[in-house]
Amino acid sequence: MPDTYASGFQERFYTSSDGLELYARDYSPSETATAGRLPVVCLPGLTRNTRDFHSLAQLLSQDITAPRRVVALDSRGRGNSARDENKANYNLAIEAGDVVAACQALGIERAVFIGTSRGGLILHLIAVMRPDLLEAVILNDIGPVIEATGLVLIRDYLNSGRRPADWREAVDILQQNHGASFTALAEQDWREMALALYRDVGGRPVADFDPAIAEALESIDFSQPLPDLWEPFEKLSHLPLMLIRGENTSLLSQETASEMARRHSTLIVHAAEGQGHAPLLHLGNIPAAIRAFLAACR
């Protein structure tokens, strides 16, 4: 089951501040079509990559009435971005710097940002480091507080050691691990999830990220409270902000979502029905909600 996604984008490579070659997909309609509308920049989750955003990027960049340029980034060590020999560089601060480098390389002075899971944590840091880049923000199933139980599930799943022998088994593994929380997904959705997570190597699916990223979760002491990001979250208070929360998520509690709404009076909260962590943004009524949010942005 090789990757059969239609293109619709340009492959772009750029260099991080420490010399690593990083990768982006650039879905760019004509400048005439997007005139007056800022681009959308998409940041994936911990071990995910640009392919998670492909369907949404096509929808937004090919929108009949209000198309936008959409840029999706592979963080270092994921997808087509180079793996880092210094595994300590897989951290939020370094990866936030990589996003800034991407914007500089791709000529993006200001944008609407979508951050899935870890991508949303990175946006909290960018709100402090480079607030001038942020026109508006969509956080996909992430907030200033991460539930330890959810992170433990991710740690155990990523470090389970089970490797699929073929694409059918890759789909089976995903359904066994996530089927209970992603009841909204049809068979084709599971196939597409497998294509997004795995790379085809000689006909065999291989997880498309540096294993050191998953291994780092083993060193977290879950007997201690996880640090929160409420202080940088306050830096988002003046921006248009949308929160997409999976109905069955284990990483973002309702309590945290409610507190986010209390602290950000204009926060738009959208529930992703039948989805867990993290919701697939091209399914159900999520694209319509994102379009409506974007319609109020530059």
Side-chain angles (χ1 to χ4, degrees), residues 218-239:
E218 299 277 21
S219 64
I220 298 176
D221 182 0
F222 287 100
S223 68
Q224 301 298 317
L226 297 174
D228 68 60
L229 292 174
W230 285 118
E231 187 173 346
F233 178 78
E234 298 294 341
K235 302 294 184 181
L236 298 171
S237 62
H238 67 288
L239 295 176

Side-chain angles (χ1 to χ4, degrees), residues 102-150:
C103 291
Q104 292 172 341
L106 302 177
I108 298 171
E109 295 181 357
R110 194 167 178 85
V112 178
F113 284 79
I114 301 176
T116 292
S117 193
R118 186 179 180 89
L121 297 179
I122 289 171
L123 289 175
H124 282 72
L125 270 62
I126 290 178
V128 177
M129 296 166 49
R130 285 291 307 276
D132 57 297
L133 288 175
L134 305 178
E135 173 67 22
V137 169
I138 299 174
L139 298 175
N140 183 20
D141 211 56
I142 197 68
V145 176
I146 296 176
E147 296 303 306
T149 53

Side-chain angles (χ1 to χ4, degrees), residues 52-100:
D52 273 349
F53 295 104
H54 178 70
S55 295
L56 179 68
Q58 286 189 315
L59 288 170
L60 298 181
S61 63
Q62 298 172 17
D63 187 274
I64 295 175
T65 58
R68 289 178 185 261
R69 178 189 183 190
V70 181
V71 174
L73 307 181
D74 277 349
S75 299
R76 60 176 63 208
R78 292 84 157 176
N80 291 325
S81 286
R83 298 187 177 187
D84 199 322
E85 293 183 3
N86 182 359
K87 307 309 179 184
N89 285 339
Y90 294 132
N91 67 69
L92 293 176
I94 293 290
E95 292 168 22
D98 292 342
V99 174
V100 173

Side-chain angles (χ1 to χ4, degrees), residues 244-276:
I244 297 169
R245 180 176 180 270
E247 179 183 30
N248 304 317
T249 183
S250 59
L251 206 75
L252 177 64
S253 71
Q254 183 58 60
E255 180 183 7
T256 297
S258 297
E259 180 63 15
M260 292 168 71
R262 189 188 72 80
R263 296 189 185 211
H264 192 298
S265 60
T266 61
L267 176 69
I268 296 172
V269 181
H270 181 83
E273 297 181 358
Q275 296 206 59

Side-chain angles (χ1 to χ4, degrees), residues 273-284:
E273 297 181 358
Q275 296 206 59
H277 181 80
L280 306 181
L281 298 179
H282 61 282
L283 297 185

